[in-house]
Amino acid sequence: MAEKKSDRTRASILAAARERFGADGYERATIRAIAADAAIDPAMVMRYYGSKEKLFAAAAEFDVRLPDLRGVPREQTGEVLVRHLVERWEEDDTLRVLLRTAVTNESAAERMRQVFIGQLTPAFERAAMDEPAVRAGLIATQALGFALCRYILEFEPIVGLSTDEAVAWLGPTITRYLTAPLPSQV
Amino acid sequence: MAEKKSDRTRASILAAARERFGADGYERATIRAIAADAAIDPAMVMRYYGSKEKLFAAAAEFDVRLPDLRGVPREQTGEVLVRHLVERWEEDDTLRVLLRTAVTNESAAERMRQVFIGQLTPAFERAAMDEPAVRAGLIATQALGFALCRYILEFEPIVGLSTDEAVAWLGPTITRYLTAPLPSQV
DNA sequence: AGCATATGCCAACACTTGTTGACTTTTGCT
DNA sequence: AGCAAAAGTCAACAAGTGTTGGCATATGCT
């Protein structure tokens, strides 16, 4: 009896929650709508997850799973990183949930910071780069901007790009943010 | 009597609305809160703007006012464009309103598309570029991603950049999106 | 001054939200 | 079969939302 009945409804609630949060954002995704999608009573959502805030926390739980960049030659790091991020983004809508909600929900924004600054910066620090935080931030601007335009705002020219095209365009940008010397201050 | 009493309250409502929409997003910015900020009765907001949706439309009304890029040498177009956008963004919170709400509000998203795809693409078309829409889209990813990280998510390393530093980092990226040949398809 | 109009305030409406508690049904064990 | 716990249902709550109409006040014109 590894699989109890409750586990399945628990999971279906979570799936419905991810869908709704990802499509509508935190405020407009109502408990009632999520419950309806999961074909379940709204009270069940409360019983299983305690509150909307906690349900959201469960739905937005995720990990970037950065690839190991140590063996990759300098000039290809951007490509590898972009490809990883894009593929990660396509396969899992948790990131979309996070992006859509981070804009109005402070705790989601904090998690976004943790992921993109908190996880990238130390990785670059280990590689003995100067200003690792700035480089991590710049990479975040391009990566998140791409995700925003592709998945949230749905700009047609960006939606139409294949993974390979996206990698070819964005890769060199990321590589430059990673390797270029600091601009001389003015 | 060019300046009537009602014009002032009209304006103060609009200012309060911009502030609230920009800080909280569409759903969480309530008419009551906006009215309180403007030291006015909520019913006044309705009398002057008809509905929340119409008030939002008025608050998000704006124009990028693209600079004339024709005299600028190719290699500097990115810098000029970035500097213009950053300065535009700093001076006026309408853009922040739009960015924060576009994520959950379809009509705001549509306006964002109009601005970044609809205004940039024809400008590049006139310059006889290949794939002007893709180039406009790519520029939008970097510009919006920067704005997102700087003004909405408030990533410290990005918030800390001066305008000149931002231009130095992002300029070459934009220039490349503007001038690089299309990547060979795979 | 007197009056019409513009401006503002108050209280209430209909509705939706997250959340709760009491009640019924199903499940699994002995 | 009998029973306790789990799982699910139902109706209601308190709070907050956009929105409306009626009533008071101030303003400007003659």
Side-chain angles (χ1 to χ4, degrees):
Chain A
M1 176 178 318
E3 167 138 349
K4 309 214 313 194
K5 179 83 182 302
S6 63
D7 289 346
R8 267 192 300 140
T9 63
R10 243 192 132 82
S12 72
I13 292 173
L14 199 62
R18 271 199 246 269
E19 189 118 350
R20 281 285 176 177
F21 279 132
D24 299 339
Y26 184 82
E27 338 283 342
R28 295 183 39 194
T30 70
I31 296 262
R32 282 172 163 85
I34 292 168
D37 286 0
I40 230 178
D41 193 274
M44 284 289 93
V45 179
M46 303 304 294
R47 204 205 271 302
Y48 282 120
Y49 288 94
S51 73
K52 183 181 184 180
E53 190 70 37
K54 286 186 200 151
L55 172 63
F56 170 75
E61 193 69 49
F62 98 120
D63 190 19
V64 252
R65 298 202 304 256
L66 283 178
D68 190 356
L69 293 171
R70 279 171 301 187
V72 183
R74 281 280 194 187
E75 323 82 46
Q76 290 176 28
T77 352
E79 271 87 351
V80 172
L81 200 51
V82 172
R83 185 173 300 276
H84 174 81
L85 288 176
V86 173
E87 280 168 1
R88 195 79 185 68
W89 230 293
E90 304 274 351
E91 90 196 4
D92 180 356
D93 43 16
T94 314
L95 263 164
R96 262 167 284 174
V97 173
L98 207 51
L99 183 51
R100 193 159 239 144
T101 50
V103 167
T104 47
N105 186 298
E106 176 53 28
S107 74
E110 175 54 31
R111 181 142 350 152
M112 204 95 226
R113 281 189 285 264
Q114 274 175 22
V115 169
F116 275 87
I117 304 295
Q119 289 193 31
L120 277 180
T121 307
F124 298 164
E125 237 160 20
R126 278 193 296 276
M129 293 177 184
D130 52 346
E131 294 285 0
V134 174
R135 296 179 191 277
L138 287 166
I139 290 170
T141 66
Q142 179 58 94
L144 290 179
F146 179 76
L148 179 74
C149 294
R150 187 177 175 99
Y151 303 112
I152 310 287
L153 302 181
E154 299 185 349
F155 286 179
E156 292 115 73
I158 298 302
V159 174
L161 293 178
S162 68
T163 303
D164 288 325
E165 287 172 306
V167 169
W169 277 113
L170 267 49
T173 299
I174 305 298
T175 300
R176 193 170 67 79
Y177 290 159
L178 223 41
T179 61
L182 296 182
S184 51
Q185 310 293 345
V186 182
Chain B
M1 169 180 320
E3 167 138 349
K4 309 215 313 196
K5 179 84 183 303
S6 63
D7 289 347
R8 269 191 299 137
T9 63
R10 246 190 130 81
S12 71
I13 291 174
L14 199 62
R18 272 201 246 267
E19 188 117 350
R20 281 284 177 178
F21 280 132
D24 298 341
Y26 184 81
E27 338 284 343
R28 295 183 39 194
T30 70
I31 296 261
R32 284 172 163 84
I34 292 167
D37 286 0
I40 229 180
D41 192 274
M44 285 291 93
V45 179
M46 303 305 294
R47 203 203 271 300
Y48 282 120
Y49 288 95
S51 72
K52 184 181 182 178
E53 191 70 35
K54 286 185 201 153
L55 171 63
F56 170 74
E61 192 70 48
F62 95 123
D63 190 19
V64 253
R65 298 202 305 257
L66 283 179
D68 190 355
L69 293 172
R70 278 171 303 188
V72 182
R74 281 281 195 186
E75 323 81 47
Q76 289 174 28
T77 351
E79 271 86 351
V80 173
L81 200 52
V82 172
R83 184 174 300 277
H84 174 81
L85 288 176
V86 173
E87 280 168 1
R88 196 79 184 69
W89 230 292
E90 303 275 351
E91 91 197 4
D92 180 356
D93 43 15
T94 314
L95 263 163
R96 262 167 285 173
V97 173
L98 209 51
L99 183 51
R100 192 159 240 146
T101 50
V103 168
T104 47
N105 186 298
E106 177 52 28
S107 74
E110 175 55 30
R111 181 142 349 150
M112 204 95 228
R113 281 189 285 265
Q114 275 173 22
V115 169
F116 276 86
I117 304 294
Q119 290 194 29
L120 276 179
T121 307
F124 297 164
E125 237 160 19
R126 279 194 295 277
M129 292 179 185
D130 51 348
E131 294 286 359
V134 174
R135 296 180 191 276
L138 287 165
I139 290 171
T141 67
Q142 179 58 94
L144 290 179
F146 179 76
L148 179 73
C149 293
R150 187 177 174 97
Y151 303 112
I152 310 286
L153 302 181
E154 299 185 347
F155 286 180
E156 291 118 75
I158 298 303
V159 174
L161 293 176
S162 69
T163 303
D164 288 325
E165 286 171 308
V167 170
W169 277 112
L170 267 50
T173 299
I174 305 299
T175 301
R176 193 169 67 81
Y177 291 157
L178 223 41
T179 61
L182 297 183
S184 51
Q185 308 294 344
V186 183

